Amino acid sequence: MVNTEKIQTDEPSRQLSKRKFLSLGKVIFIAALFFVAASSASAATYYVSQTATNSYVVGSNSNNGTSKSTPWLTVQYALSQITTTGHTLIVNDGTYSNPATGYFITNTTGSLTINPETPYGATLTGTSTNRILYQQSGTTSLTLGSVIIDATSTAAYGMQVGGTGLSLTINGTKFQGFTGAAMYSGNLLKNLTMSGGWSIIGTGNVTGVYLVLNQAGAISISNGTFTVTGSTAARRFWLPPQVLRA
């Protein structure tokens, strides 16, 4: 009789615990949904266009840049607006420059991906004698797709790395017209990945890639071509020996 009474007494407690467990599970599930939604919302795609092609309209820097029907007009304005991590910038076909400084500069704190609307349809160029694209220290991960970085034989570097700890991914990017280095860094990179049919076309006595990587970093270079017209003394890749031994 005692045992029967004890079981009857404990049954409501077990039911209550079960309800608490189910309620807790619902809270965790709902929280997970909010987390996924927030993560998805934080990773946005933005658009730039200066022509009405490929289903785009001509852009305006007064637009929000979030669709082909509301693209921004200039790449540099887009880069100045994309300041948080995880975003992708799609550049419609055309040749883009930044007359204010002669080159482009990233402003993202975190990761950024730059892709063309069509492979090699978008060209980034400029008038700077130093570089065409400059990565600021806050940009910790940069991925370049099959865009053309065109130095027009005036810039020493196609791209210059300005900060330390960058993970750089080159996926089919074409560097051309530079006289110094396609990619240059005097600072430590974290990782370097080059693939996707990238190409480097230089003129004169050039260094194809001059990069200083962190010894703990990973290096993966494949599926690309390197062409130099001019000096036969040009170096294709310059990586410190201590990095290659790490």
Side-chain angles (χ1 to χ4, degrees), residues 212-239:
V212 180
L213 281 83
N214 189 314
Q215 286 185 317
I219 305 171
S220 176
I221 301 174
S222 62
N223 191 21
T225 58
F226 184 98
T227 305
V228 172
T229 58
S231 173
T232 57
R235 296 173 292 177
R236 296 191 175 188
F237 290 91
W238 190 94
L239 297 172

PDB file of all heavy atoms in Angstrom, residues 212-239:
ATOM      1  N   VAL A 212      53.920  37.469 -47.761  1.00  0.00           N
ATOM      2  CA  VAL A 212      54.535  36.969 -46.539  1.00  0.00           C
ATOM      3  C   VAL A 212      53.434  36.309 -45.727  1.00  0.00           C
ATOM      4  O   VAL A 212      52.472  36.963 -45.320  1.00  0.00           O
ATOM      5  CB  VAL A 212      55.190  38.101 -45.725  1.00  0.00           C
ATOM      6  CG1 VAL A 212      55.827  37.562 -44.461  1.00  0.00           C
ATOM      7  CG2 VAL A 212      56.223  38.816 -46.579  1.00  0.00           C
ATOM      8  N   LEU A 213      53.557  35.023 -45.501  1.00  0.00           N
ATOM      9  CA  LEU A 213      52.522  34.282 -44.807  1.00  0.00           C
ATOM     10  C   LEU A 213      52.958  33.907 -43.399  1.00  0.00           C
ATOM     11  O   LEU A 213      54.141  33.686 -43.127  1.00  0.00           O
ATOM     12  CB  LEU A 213      52.145  33.002 -45.560  1.00  0.00           C
ATOM     13  CG  LEU A 213      51.219  33.191 -46.761  1.00  0.00           C
ATOM     14  CD1 LEU A 213      51.999  33.595 -47.986  1.00  0.00           C
ATOM     15  CD2 LEU A 213      50.431  31.933 -47.023  1.00  0.00           C
ATOM     16  N   ASN A 214      51.981  33.821 -42.511  1.00  0.00           N
ATOM     17  CA  ASN A 214      52.211  33.328 -41.168  1.00  0.00           C
ATOM     18  C   ASN A 214      52.681  31.878 -41.243  1.00  0.00           C
ATOM     19  O   ASN A 214      52.171  31.096 -42.034  1.00  0.00           O
ATOM     20  CB  ASN A 214      50.904  33.416 -40.367  1.00  0.00           C
ATOM     21  CG  ASN A 214      51.095  33.120 -38.899  1.00  0.00           C
ATOM     22  OD1 ASN A 214      51.759  32.166 -38.529  1.00  0.00           O
ATOM     23  ND2 ASN A 214      50.495  33.943 -38.060  1.00  0.00           N
ATOM     24  N   GLN A 215      53.635  31.511 -40.417  1.00  0.00           N
ATOM     25  CA  GLN A 215      54.167  30.150 -40.457  1.00  0.00           C
ATOM     26  C   GLN A 215      53.103  29.099 -40.173  1.00  0.00           C
ATOM     27  O   GLN A 215      53.220  27.955 -40.586  1.00  0.00           O
ATOM     28  CB  GLN A 215      55.319  30.007 -39.463  1.00  0.00           C
ATOM     29  CG  GLN A 215      56.593  30.691 -39.927  1.00  0.00           C
ATOM     30  CD  GLN A 215      57.747  30.430 -38.978  1.00  0.00           C
ATOM     31  OE1 GLN A 215      57.600  30.479 -37.768  1.00  0.00           O
ATOM     32  NE2 GLN A 215      58.897  30.127 -39.520  1.00  0.00           N
ATOM     33  N   ALA A 216      52.057  29.477 -39.452  1.00  0.00           N
ATOM     34  CA  ALA A 216      50.999  28.523 -39.127  1.00  0.00           C
ATOM     35  C   ALA A 216      49.962  28.448 -40.235  1.00  0.00           C
ATOM     36  O   ALA A 216      49.031  27.655 -40.169  1.00  0.00           O
ATOM     37  CB  ALA A 216      50.323  28.909 -37.815  1.00  0.00           C
ATOM     38  N   GLY A 217      50.108  29.289 -41.258  1.00  0.00           N
ATOM     39  CA  GLY A 217      49.104  29.364 -42.297  1.00  0.00           C
ATOM     40  C   GLY A 217      49.186  28.222 -43.293  1.00  0.00           C
ATOM     41  O   GLY A 217      50.178  27.492 -43.366  1.00  0.00           O
ATOM     42  N   ALA A 218      48.133  28.062 -44.062  1.00  0.00           N
ATOM     43  CA  ALA A 218      48.062  27.024 -45.083  1.00  0.00           C
ATOM     44  C   ALA A 218      48.217  27.648 -46.464  1.00  0.00           C
ATOM     45  O   ALA A 218      47.687  28.715 -46.733  1.00  0.00           O
ATOM     46  CB  ALA A 218      46.734  26.290 -44.990  1.00  0.00           C
ATOM     47  N   ILE A 219      48.971  26.975 -47.344  1.00  0.00           N
ATOM     48  CA  ILE A 219      49.194  27.452 -48.698  1.00  0.00           C
ATOM     49  C   ILE A 219      48.696  26.397 -49.674  1.00  0.00           C
ATOM     50  O   ILE A 219      49.104  25.240 -49.603  1.00  0.00           O
ATOM     51  CB  ILE A 219      50.679  27.725 -48.967  1.00  0.00           C
ATOM     52  CG1 ILE A 219      51.252  28.699 -47.936  1.00  0.00           C
ATOM     53  CG2 ILE A 219      50.884  28.265 -50.377  1.00  0.00           C
ATOM     54  CD1 ILE A 219      52.745  28.848 -48.021  1.00  0.00           C
ATOM     55  N   SER A 220      47.810  26.800 -50.594  1.00  0.00           N
ATOM     56  CA  SER A 220      47.325  25.895 -51.623  1.00  0.00           C
ATOM     57  C   SER A 220      47.270  26.649 -52.944  1.00  0.00           C
ATOM     58  O   SER A 220      46.486  27.579 -53.106  1.00  0.00           O
ATOM     59  CB  SER A 220      45.935  25.361 -51.262  1.00  0.00           C
ATOM     60  OG  SER A 220      45.426  24.555 -52.318  1.00  0.00           O
ATOM     61  N   ILE A 221      48.130  26.273 -53.897  1.00  0.00           N
ATOM     62  CA  ILE A 221      48.207  26.954 -55.186  1.00  0.00           C
ATOM     63  C   ILE A 221      48.073  25.912 -56.285  1.00  0.00           C
ATOM     64  O   ILE A 221      48.885  24.992 -56.380  1.00  0.00           O
ATOM     65  CB  ILE A 221      49.526  27.727 -55.341  1.00  0.00           C
ATOM     66  CG1 ILE A 221      49.661  28.782 -54.226  1.00  0.00           C
ATOM     67  CG2 ILE A 221      49.604  28.403 -56.704  1.00  0.00           C
ATOM     68  CD1 ILE A 221      50.985  29.493 -54.208  1.00  0.00           C
ATOM     69  N   SER A 222      47.016  26.060 -57.112  1.00  0.00           N
ATOM     70  CA  SER A 222      46.788  25.078 -58.169  1.00  0.00           C
ATOM     71  C   SER A 222      45.976  25.705 -59.296  1.00  0.00           C
ATOM     72  O   SER A 222      45.386  26.773 -59.137  1.00  0.00           O
ATOM     73  CB  SER A 222      46.027  23.865 -57.609  1.00  0.00           C
ATOM     74  OG  SER A 222      44.749  24.246 -57.133  1.00  0.00           O
ATOM     75  N   ASN A 223      45.990  25.044 -60.453  1.00  0.00           N
ATOM     76  CA  ASN A 223      45.098  25.358 -61.568  1.00  0.00           C
ATOM     77  C   ASN A 223      45.144  26.829 -61.969  1.00  0.00           C
ATOM     78  O   ASN A 223      44.146  27.539 -61.919  1.00  0.00           O
ATOM     79  CB  ASN A 223      43.659  24.956 -61.208  1.00  0.00           C
ATOM     80  CG  ASN A 223      42.735  24.996 -62.407  1.00  0.00           C
ATOM     81  OD1 ASN A 223      43.203  24.947 -63.548  1.00  0.00           O
ATOM     82  ND2 ASN A 223      41.440  25.089 -62.172  1.00  0.00           N
ATOM     83  N   GLY A 224      46.337  27.287 -62.377  1.00  0.00           N
ATOM     84  CA  GLY A 224      46.479  28.660 -62.825  1.00  0.00           C
ATOM     85  C   GLY A 224      47.631  28.808 -63.793  1.00  0.00           C
ATOM     86  O   GLY A 224      48.407  27.880 -64.021  1.00  0.00           O
ATOM     87  N   THR A 225      47.758  29.999 -64.382  1.00  0.00           N
ATOM     88  CA  THR A 225      48.834  30.250 -65.337  1.00  0.00           C
ATOM     89  C   THR A 225      49.523  31.568 -65.004  1.00  0.00           C
ATOM     90  O   THR A 225      48.914  32.494 -64.470  1.00  0.00           O
ATOM     91  CB  THR A 225      48.292  30.329 -66.781  1.00  0.00           C
ATOM     92  OG1 THR A 225      47.316  31.367 -66.865  1.00  0.00           O
ATOM     93  CG2 THR A 225      47.665  29.011 -67.190  1.00  0.00           C
ATOM     94  N   PHE A 226      50.794  31.630 -65.359  1.00  0.00           N
ATOM     95  CA  PHE A 226      51.608  32.806 -65.107  1.00  0.00           C
ATOM     96  C   PHE A 226      52.342  33.175 -66.388  1.00  0.00           C
ATOM     97  O   PHE A 226      53.030  32.343 -66.977  1.00  0.00           O
ATOM     98  CB  PHE A 226      52.608  32.507 -63.987  1.00  0.00           C
ATOM     99  CG  PHE A 226      53.431  33.684 -63.575  1.00  0.00           C
ATOM    100  CD1 PHE A 226      53.075  34.432 -62.469  1.00  0.00           C
ATOM    101  CD2 PHE A 226      54.565  34.061 -64.278  1.00  0.00           C
ATOM    102  CE1 PHE A 226      53.829  35.516 -62.072  1.00  0.00           C
ATOM    103  CE2 PHE A 226      55.321  35.148 -63.902  1.00  0.00           C
ATOM    104  CZ  PHE A 226      54.948  35.883 -62.794  1.00  0.00           C
ATOM    105  N   THR A 227      52.194  34.420 -66.843  1.00  0.00           N
ATOM    106  CA  THR A 227      52.818  34.866 -68.081  1.00  0.00           C
ATOM    107  C   THR A 227      53.463  36.225 -67.863  1.00  0.00           C
ATOM    108  O   THR A 227      52.833  37.141 -67.322  1.00  0.00           O
ATOM    109  CB  THR A 227      51.787  34.999 -69.218  1.00  0.00           C
ATOM    110  OG1 THR A 227      51.111  33.757 -69.368  1.00  0.00           O
ATOM    111  CG2 THR A 227      52.474  35.365 -70.521  1.00  0.00           C
ATOM    112  N   VAL A 228      54.731  36.351 -68.268  1.00  0.00           N
ATOM    113  CA  VAL A 228      55.438  37.623 -68.157  1.00  0.00           C
ATOM    114  C   VAL A 228      56.023  37.984 -69.514  1.00  0.00           C
ATOM    115  O   VAL A 228      56.655  37.153 -70.169  1.00  0.00           O
ATOM    116  CB  VAL A 228      56.564  37.556 -67.107  1.00  0.00           C
ATOM    117  CG1 VAL A 228      57.403  38.832 -67.154  1.00  0.00           C
ATOM    118  CG2 VAL A 228      55.998  37.381 -65.716  1.00  0.00           C
ATOM    119  N   THR A 229      55.801  39.209 -69.942  1.00  0.00           N
ATOM    120  CA  THR A 229      56.450  39.703 -71.149  1.00  0.00           C
ATOM    121  C   THR A 229      57.496  40.734 -70.727  1.00  0.00           C
ATOM    122  O   THR A 229      57.184  41.658 -69.998  1.00  0.00           O
ATOM    123  CB  THR A 229      55.433  40.357 -72.095  1.00  0.00           C
ATOM    124  OG1 THR A 229      54.769  41.420 -71.414  1.00  0.00           O
ATOM    125  CG2 THR A 229      54.410  39.345 -72.564  1.00  0.00           C
ATOM    126  N   GLY A 230      58.723  40.545 -71.162  1.00  0.00           N
ATOM    127  CA  GLY A 230      59.784  41.460 -70.769  1.00  0.00           C
ATOM    128  C   GLY A 230      60.937  40.707 -70.133  1.00  0.00           C
ATOM    129  O   GLY A 230      61.483  39.789 -70.731  1.00  0.00           O
ATOM    130  N   SER A 231      61.275  41.061 -68.908  1.00  0.00           N
ATOM    131  CA  SER A 231      62.448  40.509 -68.248  1.00  0.00           C
ATOM    132  C   SER A 231      62.317  39.015 -67.991  1.00  0.00           C
ATOM    133  O   SER A 231      61.265  38.528 -67.583  1.00  0.00           O
ATOM    134  CB  SER A 231      62.673  41.227 -66.915  1.00  0.00           C
ATOM    135  OG  SER A 231      63.705  40.597 -66.188  1.00  0.00           O
ATOM    136  N   THR A 232      63.393  38.300 -68.247  1.00  0.00           N
ATOM    137  CA  THR A 232      63.408  36.871 -67.944  1.00  0.00           C
ATOM    138  C   THR A 232      63.774  36.627 -66.491  1.00  0.00           C
ATOM    139  O   THR A 232      63.775  35.486 -66.030  1.00  0.00           O
ATOM    140  CB  THR A 232      64.434  36.150 -68.843  1.00  0.00           C
ATOM    141  OG1 THR A 232      65.729  36.753 -68.658  1.00  0.00           O
ATOM    142  CG2 THR A 232      64.033  36.261 -70.308  1.00  0.00           C
ATOM    143  N   ALA A 233      64.096  37.699 -65.767  1.00  0.00           N
ATOM    144  CA  ALA A 233      64.489  37.551 -64.373  1.00  0.00           C
ATOM    145  C   ALA A 233      63.299  37.640 -63.422  1.00  0.00           C
ATOM    146  O   ALA A 233      63.451  37.597 -62.214  1.00  0.00           O
ATOM    147  CB  ALA A 233      65.509  38.637 -64.003  1.00  0.00           C
ATOM    148  N   ALA A 234      62.117  37.772 -63.988  1.00  0.00           N
ATOM    149  CA  ALA A 234      60.924  37.917 -63.149  1.00  0.00           C
ATOM    150  C   ALA A 234      60.709  36.673 -62.291  1.00  0.00           C
ATOM    151  O   ALA A 234      60.900  35.547 -62.747  1.00  0.00           O
ATOM    152  CB  ALA A 234      59.705  38.168 -64.022  1.00  0.00           C
ATOM    153  N   ARG A 235      60.339  36.906 -61.052  1.00  0.00           N
ATOM    154  CA  ARG A 235      60.061  35.804 -60.141  1.00  0.00           C
ATOM    155  C   ARG A 235      58.562  35.516 -60.132  1.00  0.00           C
ATOM    156  O   ARG A 235      57.751  36.426 -60.008  1.00  0.00           O
ATOM    157  CB  ARG A 235      60.522  36.151 -58.725  1.00  0.00           C
ATOM    158  CG  ARG A 235      62.031  36.342 -58.604  1.00  0.00           C
ATOM    159  CD  ARG A 235      62.391  36.846 -57.231  1.00  0.00           C
ATOM    160  NE  ARG A 235      61.897  38.217 -57.039  1.00  0.00           N
ATOM    161  CZ  ARG A 235      62.028  38.887 -55.905  1.00  0.00           C
ATOM    162  NH1 ARG A 235      62.586  38.318 -54.861  1.00  0.00           N
ATOM    163  NH2 ARG A 235      61.579  40.126 -55.804  1.00  0.00           N
ATOM    164  N   ARG A 236      58.210  34.265 -60.218  1.00  0.00           N
ATOM    165  CA  ARG A 236      56.787  33.935 -60.258  1.00  0.00           C
ATOM    166  C   ARG A 236      56.151  34.053 -58.865  1.00  0.00           C
ATOM    167  O   ARG A 236      55.113  34.669 -58.711  1.00  0.00           O
ATOM    168  CB  ARG A 236      56.600  32.527 -60.818  1.00  0.00           C
ATOM    169  CG  ARG A 236      57.062  32.420 -62.270  1.00  0.00           C
ATOM    170  CD  ARG A 236      56.632  31.116 -62.888  1.00  0.00           C
ATOM    171  NE  ARG A 236      56.983  31.072 -64.303  1.00  0.00           N
ATOM    172  CZ  ARG A 236      56.600  30.131 -65.131  1.00  0.00           C
ATOM    173  NH1 ARG A 236      55.832  29.150 -64.710  1.00  0.00           N
ATOM    174  NH2 ARG A 236      56.955  30.162 -66.389  1.00  0.00           N
ATOM    175  N   PHE A 237      56.746  33.401 -57.894  1.00  0.00           N
ATOM    176  CA  PHE A 237      56.219  33.471 -56.536  1.00  0.00           C
ATOM    177  C   PHE A 237      57.373  33.730 -55.576  1.00  0.00           C
ATOM    178  O   PHE A 237      58.449  33.165 -55.719  1.00  0.00           O
ATOM    179  CB  PHE A 237      55.524  32.163 -56.140  1.00  0.00           C
ATOM    180  CG  PHE A 237      54.245  31.922 -56.863  1.00  0.00           C
ATOM    181  CD1 PHE A 237      54.238  31.213 -58.052  1.00  0.00           C
ATOM    182  CD2 PHE A 237      53.049  32.417 -56.373  1.00  0.00           C
ATOM    183  CE1 PHE A 237      53.061  30.996 -58.741  1.00  0.00           C
ATOM    184  CE2 PHE A 237      51.873  32.202 -57.050  1.00  0.00           C
ATOM    185  CZ  PHE A 237      51.877  31.488 -58.240  1.00  0.00           C
ATOM    186  N   TRP A 238      57.110  34.600 -54.629  1.00  0.00           N
ATOM    187  CA  TRP A 238      58.103  34.839 -53.589  1.00  0.00           C
ATOM    188  C   TRP A 238      57.449  34.548 -52.255  1.00  0.00           C
ATOM    189  O   TRP A 238      56.564  35.256 -51.808  1.00  0.00           O
ATOM    190  CB  TRP A 238      58.593  36.281 -53.608  1.00  0.00           C
ATOM    191  CG  TRP A 238      59.788  36.514 -52.718  1.00  0.00           C
ATOM    192  CD1 TRP A 238      61.101  36.484 -53.074  1.00  0.00           C
ATOM    193  CD2 TRP A 238      59.771  36.797 -51.321  1.00  0.00           C
ATOM    194  NE1 TRP A 238      61.902  36.726 -51.995  1.00  0.00           N
ATOM    195  CE2 TRP A 238      61.110  36.926 -50.898  1.00  0.00           C
ATOM    196  CE3 TRP A 238      58.759  36.947 -50.364  1.00  0.00           C
ATOM    197  CZ2 TRP A 238      61.469  37.195 -49.576  1.00  0.00           C
ATOM    198  CZ3 TRP A 238      59.104  37.211 -49.050  1.00  0.00           C
ATOM    199  CH2 TRP A 238      60.447  37.338 -48.673  1.00  0.00           C
ATOM    200  N   LEU A 239      57.888  33.445 -51.634  1.00  0.00           N
ATOM    201  CA  LEU A 239      57.404  33.077 -50.313  1.00  0.00           C
ATOM    202  C   LEU A 239      58.623  32.777 -49.453  1.00  0.00           C
ATOM    203  O   LEU A 239      59.523  32.048 -49.870  1.00  0.00           O
ATOM    204  CB  LEU A 239      56.499  31.835 -50.379  1.00  0.00           C
ATOM    205  CG  LEU A 239      55.209  32.001 -51.186  1.00  0.00           C
ATOM    206  CD1 LEU A 239      54.509  30.658 -51.337  1.00  0.00           C
ATOM    207  CD2 LEU A 239      54.282  32.993 -50.515  1.00  0.00           C
TER     208      LEU A 239
END
